[in-house]
Amino acid sequence: MPILVEAGWGGVIQWPWSITWTDISSRVDMVQGVTITRGAQDELSEPQPGGCTMTLDNQDGWLTPGNPSSGYAPWVRRNAPLRVSALVYPVRTGAGPWPLSQMADEFDGSAINPALWPNRYGGSSVAGGRLRIPLSPGVSSGVQSARSWTLPGSSVCARMTTAPKANGSSAALSHFILDGTTNGTRLGFQFNVATQVLRCVSMVGFVDAAGVDLPYSGIDHLWLRIREAGGTVYWETSPDGWDWTVRRTLATPAWASSQQLIVTLSTSRTGGTGDYTEWDYLGAMVYPRFYGTVNEWPVTWSGLQSSVSISATDLFKRLNRLPPLRSCLVEEVVNAAPLAYYPLTEATGSAAAGDLSGTTAGPLTVAQLGSGGTLELGTAAGPAAAADALPLLTPVSATAGKYLTSDLGQGFQDGSSRGWLMVEGWFQTTTPGRVIFGMSGGGGMSQHVWSLNASGALQAESSWDGFLSVSTVASGNLTDGAWHHFAYDEVLQRVWVDGVLRASTPVTLATELRQLTVGAYKGARLWAGSIGHLALYTVPYAAPIGAVLATHYAAGMTAYSGETAELRVARLARYAGVSSVTILGTTHDPVVGQGEAGSSVVARLREVEATESGRLYAERDYLGLAYQSRDLRYNPDAAAEAFAISYADLDTHSVELADDDQKLVNSIVAARPGGATQKVVAAESILAFGLYEQDMTLLKTSDSSVVDAAYWRISRYGNPAPELREVPVEAFTMPEYTDILAADISSYFTIFDLPEQAPVTEMRVTVEGYSETIAENSHRIQFRTSASATDSVWVLGDPVYGRLDYTTRLAY
């Protein structure tokens, strides 16, 4: 079967390293096939969420949601992880001996292939499309190839689909081995079932004193591969057959270079009860096509025949359902995982301020000291980029007024005892000698207080069992009425003020902290002004985060205006819980601040993508995003193209050359936040085709870069050339099948030997997206493409791109 479909029963897509994948390929209706969509309609459209549909056999009821007798219960449910890969098996050509890279077996027949495995023993068989090798007490079982395979410059892989269990045995082994001509001379993998150790071995006389032992993982070691290249043997493992990790290397033994080898898959057991190892996909090359989650499990019946026609969506499904973003500052603090976080952004009239950490910290409530004074939430304008209003504290005096108090809870108390304290907060005042916030432990034995001294400098006060330590920070006078931010790291004993490291400040350790007061401490030093975004952290000694907290000053003041596009993309992805972002290309312009709260993370990502003429999409082989800068497409050349294909090899019933005004634009009015509104026109295009106008709002940091972006668009689409927008290929029958499978968004390829009616004999196109259907002995891909020449830029002195009559388009 040319496909591998796997369900991650019980797994969580956000934690891919913990998913145990179950092969459900045998259930797929390969007459209908598996259909996958990916990418954008054209280069001016946004890439859409990728989708996958297929019909699965449900005759045993195992795919019926809520069926308690299902072998997959209770995990047949919405958002179950799903991944799909195309499989390519090498073809053995010529006479033996053959390189190991030509060895393949799908194990799809009813019996073991006797030509490939002439030696079969101990009850080995094919069952359910897999090679099953028993582990029976006192019996050696396995299969062996003929001595007709060579290792140099070659490799062989297989998937250990079912790992055996010890079942009471003190000695049980499963092998994937290459045997030399001398008995006991071998290399490969040895799985010790009793100890659960996977060993990478290179033996002489059945001994390898330098073998590498790996604690066996059914996830990380699902696929095993032995590979030789350049005089080195590599032992590799993989969770998916695509992304390999080297576990051991060794200079290729002389015998492995010169001898013809036997491939052996075998088992043995002493005592215990019987079990088996199952192998599959021997020699398969894996090409990931989809990675996402199942939307639904609709069960249908045709008479007594039951099936499930599922649909699945990639990472963008999850991103699109996330709630609107809060301000950049709030998102940054929440993402740093505080143990207590009080933004203090509640609306006017609120009686309390809540914690956004998601822990056990209680709300901050208003408390009265003496009489008089006010504390009004939602009144004071916060830091410039944070936008949210913060509380205004107006006491009568240092000892009469209102403040806020909270019980941080048992969770924080325990955390402050086990970890190291990190704090950050914002404040604004014109009055020195007052307290920003203070914390204390049971009975007041421990305390930790941050305040401004009589000179307006930041100071830390900490005590344990009556011993008081006061440390003054060289911050200067901070009572200037402006917003200030501070961050403290107890591990490094450093303080940052307004994003700048001010001092290494030793503070006596305080533990078991639980009571929090904001704007006062112990009945005195009432704050006059505003306080907000107070966050408290505890971390292990090995994880100081103070320098990270210091960057939150920029989050509050500018929302990171001026950071480059790829950093913005990674930051926004992090807010969405996506830690893996692949950055492709090198041209990344600075962008303006992140923007106000209320927009979705996808909308913010798309703003960056549009501003930079880039490409953002979900990966097809793991949970992650890819972001391409515009220069990735500059000046495509034949050496880097994915493949070339003759027009005669296309599905010629649906090939069309388009020449219309769909992409035409010759007048652009472009603007940026806080900048000028400017107009760029292509006069010759207007004269020839009439006026085609467009408005653009870009997140650029300068007016000149806005003009550059507008010129870039208008130079490409003032007079678009005829182009192929759809290229259909029956890829499965093509000699270039693996190259076609490797093509992805922004890959390019050439169609040559076009019909005589075409304006040129060949055209190079760029992939914008595709729809594909993988069926039995068929893999039809409908590439959605654009003209690669659209992205050509002028290069001084280049024999192709330096010709004035070819392209004078300047890159930006």
Side-chain angles (χ1 to χ4, degrees):
M1 187 177 290
I3 197 167
L4 174 59
V5 179
E6 298 167 285
W9 303 123
V12 178
I13 196 70
Q14 298 95 306
W15 306 327
W17 56 88
S18 65
I19 298 176
T20 299
W21 294 94
T22 299
D23 185 352
I24 59 172
S25 307
S26 61
R27 294 179 177 270
V28 178
D29 182 344
M30 291 302 290
V31 175
Q32 296 185 46
V34 176
T35 298
I36 296 167
T37 58
R38 178 172 170 78
Q41 190 65 34
D42 56 50
E43 75 272 34
L44 299 179
S45 304
E46 295 176 350
Q48 298 301 302
C52 175
T53 61
M54 69 185 77
T55 297
L56 303 170
D57 176 44
N58 187 41
Q59 198 59 26
D60 57 7
W62 279 26
L63 297 180
T64 300
N67 178 9
S69 62
S70 167
Y72 305 141
W75 309 117
V76 182
R77 60 187 185 186
R78 294 175 297 275
N79 293 324
L82 184 80
R83 66 184 185 189
V84 179
S85 301
L87 300 179
V88 179
Y89 288 93
V91 177
R92 186 168 45 171
T93 59
W98 300 280
L100 276 168
S101 292
Q102 291 186 11
M103 187 179 202
D105 198 337
E106 300 180 61
F107 303 113
D108 278 350
S110 59
I112 297 172
N113 182 343
L116 185 60
W117 308 103
N119 188 12
R120 307 170 300 282
Y121 54 97
S124 299
S125 63
V126 169
R130 299 168 182 171
L131 172 64
R132 179 174 292 181
I133 304 178
L135 270 80
S136 302
V139 178
S140 294
S141 304
V143 296
Q144 285 186 318
S145 72
R147 188 174 296 283
S148 52
W149 302 96
T150 59
L151 178 61
S154 196
S155 66
V156 64
C157 71
R159 169 175 154 145
M160 189 161 64
T161 300
T162 303
K165 298 178 177 61
N167 289 352
S169 176
S170 60
L173 301 174
S174 182
H175 294 98
F176 176 22
I177 292 292
L178 306 181
D179 283 302
T181 56
T182 303
N183 192 31
T185 303
R186 49 187 7 201
L187 60 82
F189 292 94
Q190 175 182 283
F191 176 42
N192 189 319
V193 185
T195 62
Q196 291 291 291
V197 170
L198 180 68
R199 193 166 209 223
C200 307
V201 298
S202 177
M203 297 179 172
V204 175
F206 294 106
V207 175
D208 179 11
V212 174
D213 291 341
L214 308 170
Y216 177 70
S217 165
I219 296 174
D220 297 333
H221 307 146
L222 183 61
W223 290 76
L224 307 177
R225 182 167 74 178
I226 305 163
R227 178 170 62 91
E228 201 280 342
T232 301
V233 178
Y234 299 84
W235 286 256
E236 297 169 316
T237 67
S238 173
D240 52 19
W242 168 256
D243 188 16
W244 295 91
T245 300
V246 176
R247 302 298 184 176
R248 182 186 182 184
T249 61
L250 185 70
T252 306
W255 64 267
S257 297
S258 59
Q259 297 176 9
Q260 295 179 29
L261 308 177
I262 293 174
V263 178
T264 301
L265 296 166
S266 64
T267 63
S268 62
R269 176 192 293 279
T270 300
T273 57
D275 199 6
Y276 54 81
T277 302
E278 287 187 323
W279 297 92
D280 206 349
Y281 307 116
L282 181 76
M285 292 179 285
V286 178
Y287 290 86
R289 309 306 294 172
F290 176 82
Y291 193 105
T293 54
V294 178
N295 302 321
E296 55 181 349
W297 295 93
V299 180
T300 59
W301 287 269
S302 177
L304 296 178
Q305 300 297 314
S306 178
S307 62
V308 177
S309 297
I310 66 169
S311 66
T313 311
D314 68 16
L315 171 61
F316 272 92
K317 175 188 176 182
R318 177 169 167 264
L319 298 185
N320 282 326
R321 70 170 183 261
L322 293 175
L325 289 172
R326 295 157 292 198
S327 71
C328 178
L329 176 56
V330 174
E331 293 292 345
E332 281 294 307
V333 176
V334 169
N335 200 254
L339 206 56
Y341 173 38
Y342 299 98
L344 293 162
T345 55
E346 281 75 9
T348 303
S350 300
D355 161 60
L356 286 188
S357 70
T359 64
T360 59
L364 282 167
T365 57
V366 178
Q368 178 74 52
L369 183 61
S371 61
T374 60
L375 192 160
E376 300 172 288
L377 292 166
T379 300
D388 297 318
L390 296 174
L392 180 63
L393 292 82
T394 310
V396 175
S397 66
T399 57
K402 296 182 177 181
Y403 63 100
L404 295 161
T405 182
S406 174
D407 182 346
L408 291 170
Q410 189 64 45
F412 189 90
Q413 179 176 317
D414 294 343
S416 70
S417 300
R418 293 191 299 263
W420 296 70
L421 189 64
M422 315 282 158
V423 302
E424 66 172 314
W426 291 76
F427 59 87
Q428 178 192 55
T429 189
T430 57
T431 306
R434 304 297 175 92
V435 166
I436 304 169
F437 76 93
M439 294 183 288
S440 61
M445 290 185 64
S446 60
Q447 62 181 1
H448 189 84
V449 181
W450 288 90
S451 63
L452 300 183
N453 66 13
S455 300
L458 184 67
Q459 70 177 13
E461 307 164 39
S462 190
S463 71
W464 173 253
D465 197 19
F467 176 77
L468 177 66
S469 170
V470 179
S471 300
T472 301
V473 180
S475 64
N477 186 356
L478 301 177
T479 60
D480 55 4
W483 277 104
H484 296 286
H485 172 261
F486 80 99
Y488 171 66
D489 186 324
E490 188 176 45
V491 173
L492 302 177
Q493 294 196 327
R494 291 178 179 176
V495 179
W496 291 260
V497 176
D498 295 344
V500 178
L501 179 62
R502 296 293 183 179
S504 293
T505 305
V507 175
T508 302
L509 190 65
T511 61
E512 297 185 356
L513 300 169
R514 178 159 180 163
Q515 301 302 318
L516 170 67
T517 58
V518 177
Y521 191 68
K522 288 191 174 180
R525 293 186 287 172
L526 283 163
W527 187 262
S530 187
I531 299 171
H533 299 286
L534 176 63
L536 313 172
Y537 310 79
T538 61
V539 300
Y541 184 80
I545 60 171
V548 174
L549 303 184
T551 67
H552 295 172
Y553 177 71
M557 297 305 292
T558 69
Y560 297 113
S561 178
E563 71 179 347
T564 50
E566 86 283 12
L567 296 179
R568 176 65 53 79
V569 168
R571 183 184 303 283
L572 290 167
R574 181 160 43 83
Y575 296 164
V578 179
S579 59
S580 179
V581 180
T582 302
I583 303 299
L584 304 168
T586 58
T587 299
H588 306 290
D589 292 349
V591 291
V592 298
Q594 189 169 301
E596 296 181 357
S599 185
S600 70
V601 67
V602 172
R604 289 289 186 224
L605 286 166
R606 294 299 184 203
E607 287 174 347
V608 178
E609 177 189 34
T611 295
E612 293 300 292
S613 298
R615 265 293 179 252
L616 179 79
Y617 53 89
E619 297 280 17
R620 60 186 177 183
D621 58 337
Y622 67 99
L623 188 79
L625 290 172
Y627 173 71
Q628 301 174 349
S629 63
R630 59 185 176 273
D631 68 300
L632 188 74
R633 298 185 174 205
Y634 288 171
N635 299 347
D637 60 76
E641 71 180 4
F643 61 94
I645 190 169
S646 169
Y647 171 80
D649 290 329
L650 302 182
D651 182 345
T652 56
H653 294 292
S654 54
V655 179
E656 179 180 300
L657 184 69
D659 183 27
D660 53 34
D661 61 359
Q662 178 178 310
K663 301 177 182 179
L664 181 62
V665 59
N666 49 34
S667 176
I668 295 177
V669 175
R672 69 182 181 92
T677 298
Q678 304 171 88
K679 186 173 184 177
V680 176
V681 299
E684 292 183 0
S685 174
I686 294 173
L687 182 62
F689 308 113
L691 187 63
Y692 285 78
E693 296 178 290
Q694 186 177 96
D695 291 337
M696 299 172 63
T697 299
L698 306 173
L699 305 183
K700 298 291 188 180
T701 57
S702 70
D703 294 329
S704 60
S705 60
V706 172
V707 171
D708 289 341
Y711 269 120
W712 174 247
R713 173 69 65 91
I714 216 165
S715 68
R716 297 163 73 211
Y717 300 108
N719 183 14
E723 63 181 359
L724 293 170
R725 293 179 184 161
E726 300 272 349
V727 180
V729 181
E730 176 46 80
F732 189 77
T733 59
M734 294 293 102
E736 307 88 355
Y737 184 36
T738 57
D739 294 329
I740 296 172
L741 289 176
D744 200 357
I745 296 169
S746 294
S747 297
Y748 44 91
F749 61 91
T750 296
I751 303 99
F752 59 89
D753 288 344
L754 288 166
E756 61 181 13
Q757 298 87 356
V760 292
T761 59
E762 65 179 40
M763 286 188 173
R764 184 172 294 156
V765 296
T766 301
V767 177
E768 304 298 342
Y770 56 81
S771 298
E772 63 181 329
T773 298
I774 308 171
E776 193 65 47
N777 297 321
S778 173
H779 191 163
R780 189 180 190 277
I781 307 177
Q782 184 90 6
F783 286 106
R784 299 187 292 275
T785 61
S786 62
S788 297
T790 302
D791 295 298
S792 299
V793 298
W794 186 65
V795 180
L796 178 64
D798 188 273
V800 175
Y801 297 107
R803 290 157 38 199
L804 294 179
D805 59 340
Y806 182 77
T807 177
T808 55
R809 186 185 301 124
L810 297 178
Y812 92 102

